[in-house]
Structure formats: structure tokens, C-alpha cells
Amino acid sequence: MILTTTEEVPGCAVGEILGVVFGNTVRTKHLGKDVMAGLKSIVGGELQEYTDMLSDARTEAYNRMANAARDLGADAVVNIRFTTSQTMATAAELLAYGTAVRLVPKK
């Protein structure tokens, strides 16, 4: 399956639009890691615990979106976007979405 942030796939045309597909996950850190990140914020620098959490969340949301597209019989997901939001003080949602399509070769 082709997954892209572009509107088109080189050499292909959209034969059928199957719809918007989504993948999301809500994540929070273990209390111990949250405390360590809080201490790190006093001195500054990257909060590696949160960087890792968001990276894992992005991968999970991406995979869920791709699986939703496969379930529809898509060849590709185009125009993929990511968004994140805080759902509570210690949790964040990461959402991946795009348009599931079937492709045909360009003539």
C-alpha cells in the first residue's frame, strides 16, 4: 500500500475515492517517567520520555489508519495528515488521517 502526504501518486491516477480513514491513539506516561520529565523541565533540554511517547503514538496512529484503508480495499492513502491534542493534563491524542483510494495507471 502506498501511503503519502501528497495528493497524487506519480504514474497513477485516482480511480476511486473510498473515503477518509483515521487512526488514533491516546497516550500517557508512567507516573515515574512523568516525575522525571518534570524534573528535567527545571533545567531544560529535550524531554526524551515524551519524545519517545509521541513517536510511538504516531507510529500506532499511522498503522491504524493504514489498516482502516486496507479494510476498505484501498491501494493507497493520499494527503495524509497528523494532528495532536491534549485530552487531559497528562495525556495526548495523536490522530493520523488521509483519503483512501484505489489507483489506476496513468495513460
Side-chain angles (χ1 to χ4, degrees):
M1 173 167 310
I2 298 170
L3 303 164
T4 182
T5 58
T6 62
E7 293 179 18
E8 296 180 0
V9 175
C12 297
V14 173
E16 182 180 0
I17 295 174
L18 301 174
V20 177
V21 287
F22 302 92
N24 74 316
T25 184
V26 176
R27 299 286 176 104
T28 187
K29 271 294 181 198
H30 179 275
L31 180 60
K33 290 192 184 254
D34 204 37
V35 169
M36 293 303 293
L39 293 174
K40 176 80 175 200
S41 70
I42 293 171
V43 296
E46 182 178 9
L47 300 177
Q48 191 63 47
E49 294 84 2
Y50 287 103
T51 299
D52 293 344
M53 178 189 73
L54 288 174
S55 179
D56 292 344
R58 184 176 51 252
T59 299
E60 183 64 31
Y62 182 84
N63 289 337
R64 289 178 179 178
M65 178 199 62
N67 289 335
R70 278 188 194 92
D71 290 346
L72 292 175
D75 298 320
V77 179
V78 296
N79 215 21
I80 293 174
R81 299 291 182 258
F82 292 92
T83 186
T84 187
S85 62
Q86 184 175 0
T87 57
M88 41 189 290
T90 59
E93 176 193 33
L94 206 135
L95 172 69
Y97 61 97
T99 304
V101 298
R102 286 198 184 113
L103 300 173
V104 295
K106 280 188 179 176
K107 297 178 181 180

